[in-house]
Amino acid sequence: MFKRKDTDFILQLLEILPSVALLGPRQVGKTTLAKQLMHNMNKPSVYLDLESPDDLRKLENPELYFKTNQNKCIIIDEIQRMSELFPILRSVIDKNPLKKQFILLGSASPELLHHSSETLAGRIVYHELTPLLLEEISKKYNYQEHLIRGGFPTPLLIENSKIRKEWFASYIKTYVETELRMLGMKGTSIQLQRLISMIALMQGGILNVASLSKSLGVNQQLVSTFIDYLEHAFIIRRLHPWLNNAKKRIVKSPKIYLRDSGLANYLNGIENMDDFLSHPLAGTLWENYVIEQIASQFKRELQAYYYRTTNQAECDLVLIKNNIPFISLEIKLSQNPKTTKSITMSLQDLKTQYNYIVIPECDEIFYINEKLKVGSLELVIEEIKGIIK
């Protein structure tokens, strides 16, 4: 029921390239989007789900199947379950690259990316499908509903908070006990669940592998592996610091947070906006929600970082264009934000052309001083879209 913002862009990619991979976490809407694309393409299409025994049987002789359907777009769901298809796809595409079109859907993993990049180099483009963005659902839901429920389609549509809790509990259980292990994750399910819960509690904090290792009772290498897989599975984001300033003593460790606000809220016991506003992590959860919305919205045009120095200069989000700081954003859970010494120092260091304080609600963007504007998330996103056109 929601049109993804990149639908038209994906169709354009398919007009140029023989294959497109849609990667993202389970239940994010990859299959729904693929089936929508089927109705908007300029050729017939077929859909195969590698979790279906019937569809698996169709690929017992994949080369014959692909030849039989050579004039169709072939959509293959759960591609990570059959990585041996990649060399065959390369061969089939190379025989007639103009006729072949494949849409590959899968949960990302190092193995999947390795196999596909190695065999389909130059023949495939990767597109990340994130949970639904605020822009994509704003006609039906406001920012508060989106902030609390998150962007996974099913819990977003669930009105009953108790049922929504059950969905998230089941989702985590599936990831911990099935999905991540299928992707090659080692470690016990208890360790994995504890790690996800710990990340939720330190949402937006500086990543300290040694501290996590000590708390989990496992070695640091295993914790690093856990975090790598969670990042490849699009569950967490490591927000790295902007370091292009040799004269400053800059904090060099990334921040870490759960990307979906609904999942983070569930793990922090937040069911509604009252719970959210009274929670000790409310300011940080709001900050991470805004960062994720903006970083995901502009992922093709701008790169997202944070900035912090040892002398207390700090910026929550720095958007980089052509390797130069372009836009800075400070994020405040307040309707009456004020400039601070930290903000002033960061603007002097970064020399960004556009600077904002993002607050929850605002009728229009306004200047708080000659270099700094204040606006709501929706208004700031619209202004950035105009800036980068």
Side-chain angles (χ1 to χ4, degrees):
M1 49 187 300
F2 304 106
K3 182 180 178 181
R4 305 306 299 252
K5 66 180 283 290
D6 287 337
T7 301
D8 295 337
F9 179 70
I10 295 168
L11 289 170
Q12 291 171 17
L13 291 175
L14 286 166
E15 291 177 1
I16 300 169
L17 294 164
S19 59
V20 173
L22 299 181
L23 303 177
R26 186 176 284 271
Q27 298 295 316
V28 79
K30 298 186 296 294
T31 303
T32 300
L33 175 58
K35 290 182 176 179
Q36 290 173 349
L37 291 171
M38 291 173 71
H39 300 293
N40 290 281
M41 285 186 284
N42 56 6
K43 62 162 61 178
S45 56
V46 293
Y47 170 82
L48 299 173
D49 181 357
L50 298 188
E51 289 187 332
S52 163
D54 289 341
D55 286 349
L56 278 173
R57 280 193 289 272
K58 294 175 184 178
L59 290 177
E60 288 179 355
N61 187 336
E63 290 171 289
L64 178 60
Y65 182 85
F66 294 151
K67 183 176 181 180
T68 303
N69 292 278
Q70 62 181 331
N71 295 316
K72 298 177 183 177
C73 178
I74 300 173
I75 300 169
I76 306 176
D77 207 342
E78 301 295 337
I79 187 66
Q80 74 276 3
R81 293 178 175 270
M82 204 171 175
S83 58
E84 63 269 24
L85 280 178
F86 288 119
I88 299 169
L89 288 170
R90 180 187 63 181
S91 174
V92 169
I93 288 171
D94 286 351
K95 286 176 182 176
N96 198 337
L98 297 179
K99 274 193 171 185
K100 298 305 177 200
Q101 281 187 329
F102 293 93
I103 301 176
L104 310 179
L105 314 180
S107 301
S109 71
E111 288 80 8
L112 174 66
L113 296 178
H114 172 73
H115 282 296
S116 61
S117 61
E118 188 176 73
T119 58
L120 294 177
R123 306 165 183 87
I124 189 169
V125 64
Y126 302 101
H127 186 84
E128 177 196 348
L129 192 64
T130 67
L132 287 157
L133 300 175
L134 179 59
E135 179 187 58
E136 294 170 325
I137 55 90
S138 60
K139 291 182 179 179
K140 183 172 176 61
Y141 297 103
N142 60 39
Y143 83 90
Q144 292 187 356
E145 293 167 319
H146 188 237
L147 167 65
I148 297 302
R149 301 180 190 186
F152 285 104
T154 299
L156 178 64
L157 294 167
I158 295 173
E159 299 291 336
N160 187 308
S161 63
K162 305 300 181 188
I163 297 176
R164 200 160 54 243
K165 280 177 63 177
E166 289 300 312
W167 187 92
F168 279 116
S170 175
Y171 185 81
I172 292 174
K173 182 178 177 66
T174 299
Y175 248 106
V176 165
E177 296 184 357
T178 306
E179 184 78 3
L180 290 176
R181 291 175 110 31
M182 184 187 74
L183 294 176
M185 178 73 95
K186 294 179 173 58
T188 69
S189 59
I190 292 174
Q191 289 169 340
L192 296 179
Q193 187 147 355
R194 282 186 61 202
L195 176 61
I196 294 172
S197 297
M198 289 166 66
I199 293 171
L201 291 172
M202 62 177 286
Q203 188 80 342
I206 300 294
L207 175 60
N208 186 327
V209 172
S211 177
L212 290 171
S213 169
K214 185 177 179 180
S215 298
L216 284 170
V218 300
N219 64 59
Q220 293 187 34
Q221 181 59 48
L222 188 56
V223 171
S224 296
T225 301
F226 286 171
I227 290 171
D228 286 343
Y229 273 92
L230 288 170
E231 186 172 42
H232 282 298
F234 302 99
I235 299 298
I236 66 167
R237 182 188 291 274
R238 276 183 284 199
L239 186 69
H240 292 276
W242 176 247
L243 301 175
N244 197 15
N245 191 333
K247 296 179 181 179
K248 298 288 181 179
R249 299 186 64 184
I250 299 171
V251 175
K252 296 183 179 179
S253 297
K255 291 183 178 182
I256 186 171
Y257 63 90
L258 295 171
R259 295 182 62 171
D260 183 67
S261 61
L263 182 60
N265 289 334
Y266 161 72
L267 289 168
N268 280 293
I270 296 170
E271 295 185 27
N272 52 51
M273 203 63 192
D274 287 342
D275 291 343
F276 182 88
L277 293 173
S278 62
H279 198 279
L281 287 177
T284 304
L285 290 166
W286 167 247
E287 177 184 318
N288 294 149
Y289 170 73
V290 172
I291 289 172
E292 188 59 30
Q293 292 303 301
I294 292 176
S296 295
Q297 176 86 23
F298 301 108
K299 61 182 181 287
R300 291 201 306 274
E301 299 90 355
L302 304 166
Q303 295 77 52
Y305 294 84
Y306 80 94
Y307 181 76
R308 182 184 294 176
T309 68
T310 55
N311 66 349
Q312 306 306 311
E314 184 172 357
C315 182
D316 295 327
L317 182 61
V318 185
L319 299 177
I320 306 300
K321 182 179 181 181
N322 300 326
N323 208 38
I324 297 172
F326 186 53
I327 300 171
S328 74
L329 300 107
E330 189 70 14
I331 301 160
K332 300 292 185 185
L333 187 62
S334 167
Q335 291 304 107
N336 298 294
K338 295 178 174 59
T339 56
T340 64
K341 181 180 178 181
S342 173
I343 296 174
T344 301
M345 292 170 65
S346 70
L347 296 187
Q348 290 172 349
D349 290 347
L350 294 166
K351 297 179 174 56
T352 39
Q353 187 174 352
Y354 302 94
N355 308 290
Y356 300 91
I357 298 178
V358 183
I359 62 175
E361 297 180 8
C362 184
D363 291 332
E364 61 181 359
I365 290 180
F366 61 91
Y367 280 95
I368 196 170
N369 63 39
E370 62 181 11
K371 293 183 178 180
L372 187 60
K373 292 181 178 182
V374 176
S376 68
L377 174 59
E378 296 99 319
L379 292 175
V380 169
I381 284 175
E382 285 303 310
E383 189 152 309
I384 294 174
K385 285 162 66 175
I387 289 169
I388 63 177
K389 274 186 178 179

